[in-house]
Amino acid sequence: MTVPAPDRRAVTSVDAVRSDAPGAAPMAARTKRIGLLGMYASANLGDTAIQQAVMQALRARRPDIEFVGLCTDPEDAARTFGIRARHLSGAGGLFDGGAGGAPSWTADAGIDPQSFPAPLHLVASARRIARHMAGLDMLLVSGSGQIDDFWGGPWEQPFRLLAWSGAARRQGKPVGVFGVGVDQLLTRLGRSFCRRALERAQLRVVRDGGSLDALRSLGLTGPVEVAPDPAFHLTDRGAAGNASAGPAFAVVSPIARQAWPGAEPEEYEAYLAALAAAADALQRRSLEVRFVCSQTRMDPPVVERVRQRMRTDAGATREVPVATVDEYMREVRDARVVVGSRLHAMILALVAGAPVVAVSYARKVRRQLEDIGLGRQVLDLRGLRRDELLARIEEVLDDEQPLREHIRSRTVAFRAQLDEHFDRLAALIPR
């Protein structure tokens, strides 16, 4: 991302996020600011869904709070959520999306940490992070991709997680970790950084039992709670409307190979062939096949690869582009079945009430569906057999209404469980 030339005065990080800067309200009246740290970007609707759910739930409990995004694409976060945001590395300035339209940008004073030679830029980055943390009242680590060194190694996300949490604790600020999962830690240093960062949190809530087991294997001994993925706290705002009057349809939502850790070419080819066979079988059942992707940049190119492997009329299928969480749920709500692989392609379909068949590329997908009582509808991507996938799809189509009732009941229960955890998270916010 190219940072635009600053058209406003340079400010310090504290001035940029504090309302007790010169001319602001007295300290006693100022809004409490929460740094929302995560790997979120709007192209991944799962990332967006988690942060939407967290912000909505906390704002309902504490109207006096303001979120400041700490993420990998702050301009995108400012535009998507209407908040102020900066890069989680501490580099660059502050984007402000509160006024609507294109986010405005304010430069930070001082030298950019990235201008230092390695490893001095890491020291400079940690110092800049500490300055930014001084303008916040709490650090909240939320969503996917947090406990992970798959993307960039230990000196990317694990180091930054430790730098932010360490700065917060040295300044006496609370740290909450909410709705995270342990995805892939490949290095000893990455495991050490993540464990030490998590030790600094007063509340730790993970999204599945497998993540809890992984944290224990890292040597984390403190309390850890398990709750459903925060996206289950969302509600489908269009669900009260009438059902679609169009043709009966099913949804296929593929995943790009680069998002599947360790994928071999022949395994991925078998996956594409199985999805094509599923699309053929659905068309033979007189269902329109619609391709709807929950990762709007990486996954759409895969659709054509699936179509090329179909034996029925691929031209009769539809690719439906979506850009928001609400749009995705609207497009899958009335599907007879949603066949997909990404975790939140499945979760958002369930929130919308649609039956699913998951082709799981990671433990997190299987565990969430097992937790909601749909373990039979999960197949592993490795070793996927198309006849088994077709059999699961047939079972779902034959049992659609009882499945919808089960899904509705379980998602209501999940929201109630999350309410209890959100209450505890809100209690961490300083008064």
Side-chain angles (χ1 to χ4, degrees), residues 42 45 48 52 296 321-330 348:
S42 64
L45 300 183
T48 303
Q52 279 184 196
T296 62
V322 295
T324 69
V325 171
D326 286 343
E327 287 178 5
Y328 180 86
M329 289 197 286
R330 182 188 68 212
L348 294 177

Side-chain angles (χ1 to χ4, degrees), residues 151-212:
W151 303 101
W155 294 104
E156 291 292 323
Q157 176 62 11
F159 170 75
R160 293 165 180 173
L161 189 64
L162 179 58
W164 280 100
S165 61
R169 295 309 297 137
R170 286 192 299 274
Q171 297 170 20
K173 314 285 180 64
V175 177
V177 176
F178 196 90
V180 304
V182 180
D183 292 325
Q184 190 159 275
L185 284 170
L186 303 175
T187 65
R188 179 179 298 178
L189 192 56
R191 291 191 289 271
S192 175
F193 283 168
C194 288
R195 176 183 55 77
R196 290 163 60 193
L198 291 167
E199 286 173 344
R200 286 157 171 76
Q202 286 74 52
L203 179 70
R204 294 174 284 261
V205 180
V206 297
R207 66 184 174 210
D208 58 63
S211 293
L212 172 60

Side-chain angles (χ1 to χ4, degrees), residues 290-370:
R290 300 179 185 178
F291 292 95
V292 187
C293 297
S294 67
Q295 217 298 350
T296 62
R297 291 179 190 163
M298 294 173 65
D299 296 346
V302 182
V303 170
E304 189 56 34
R305 298 180 65 184
V306 176
R307 282 173 162 161
Q308 291 170 357
R309 290 157 176 79
M310 290 178 62
R311 297 185 177 181
T312 56
D313 183 9
T317 65
R318 288 177 54 198
E319 183 175 0
V320 183
V322 295
T324 69
V325 171
D326 286 343
E327 287 178 5
Y328 180 86
M329 289 197 286
R330 182 188 68 212
E331 295 299 336
V332 303
R333 180 187 308 128
D334 298 320
R336 296 282 311 280
V337 62
V338 177
V339 182
S341 295
R342 286 190 181 271
L343 174 62
H344 288 90
M346 300 290 92
I347 289 178
L348 294 177
L350 293 168
V351 171
V356 302
V357 173
V359 182
S360 171
Y361 72 101
R363 182 201 70 237
K364 60 186 179 182
V365 181
R366 174 170 289 281
R367 288 301 296 256
Q368 285 289 325
L369 265 71
E370 288 176 345

